[in-house]
Amino acid sequence: MFGWLFRSRSVPDVTGLFLDLVAAARNPVAYREHGVADSFEGRFERLALVTTLVLRRLSQLSAPAEAVGQEVVDQLFRHLDDGLRRSGVGDLSVGKKVKALAQGFYGRAGAYTAAIESGDEVQLRAALARNLYGSERMPEDVPAGLVAEIRDMIATLDSKDLAGLLAGDALAGGRT
């Protein structure tokens, strides 16, 4: 019953990676030049996108990368929970809102991952139009600069091993 108390924690510290991920998600270019809404929803969508890219890379690496990925997701939802509380959402509503965000996150992660793995830019643009832009843009209207930024982040992440990701500068190539 209390085994979790005595379990050793073999997951490396993901603070640097998480802060790097958040910085890349908050890249002002995404909002100014690519037209991502600078709102809670837009910031969540951008965070979901960048987190998906990081989780995709972690899934390609050996242990303890899977545990690192889980810790990144755990930090993401602690971050969202904290943000909701700071914005004045009542304690009784936070759990429901975080659950809805989690469902949305996993749906988006699946769509982005499938599009990236397919190598089909049309599929990626469709996923971006539907999620990042809330269907307010047609796939062909997704900025080419955004698609290029995503490709650059993927290439940068793919060039890193686990230690490189944990160092906290893995997405430097994705920031301007």
Side-chain angles (χ1 to χ4, degrees):
M1 180 167 142
F2 293 104
W4 61 272
L5 280 173
F6 303 106
R7 210 177 315 146
S8 68
R9 185 153 170 96
S10 60
V11 179
D13 182 18
V14 301
T15 303
L17 174 58
F18 187 74
L19 292 175
D20 188 40
L21 182 157
V22 170
R26 291 180 178 168
N27 181 353
V29 171
Y31 304 95
R32 272 196 316 255
E33 295 178 22
H34 303 319
V36 175
D38 191 8
S39 62
F40 179 83
E41 292 79 14
R43 290 186 298 272
F44 169 75
E45 294 297 344
R46 178 74 180 176
L47 192 56
L49 171 62
V50 175
T51 302
T52 298
L53 300 178
V54 169
L55 294 176
R56 178 189 163 276
R57 178 59 183 144
L58 287 169
S59 74
Q60 299 167 340
L61 300 172
S62 58
E66 182 178 338
V68 167
Q70 184 59 57
E71 184 62 24
V72 166
V73 170
D74 292 348
Q75 277 202 20
L76 170 68
F77 286 102
R78 283 192 298 269
H79 178 76
L80 292 169
D81 181 287
D82 184 57
L84 288 168
R85 290 177 192 281
R86 289 175 187 257
S87 71
V89 173
D91 286 342
L92 297 175
S93 300
V94 169
K96 290 179 185 175
K97 290 189 183 292
V98 169
K99 183 178 179 180
L101 289 171
Q103 290 171 336
F105 170 76
Y106 286 112
R108 285 152 179 81
Y112 290 140
T113 301
I116 291 164
E117 294 302 319
S118 77
D120 182 1
E121 186 174 313
V122 172
Q123 188 178 349
L124 178 59
R125 286 174 172 275
L128 292 166
R130 184 175 57 253
N131 296 307
L132 193 63
Y133 294 105
S135 296
E136 293 180 8
R137 289 185 184 209
M138 298 300 293
E140 60 271 14
D141 296 329
V142 170
L146 174 62
V147 174
E149 178 197 24
I150 291 167
R151 297 276 181 226
D152 288 348
M153 281 194 276
I154 290 169
T156 300
L157 288 165
D158 285 353
S159 73
K160 302 286 182 176
D161 61 8
L162 186 57
L165 294 173
L166 292 170
D169 63 352
L171 292 166
R175 283 185 256 148
T176 53

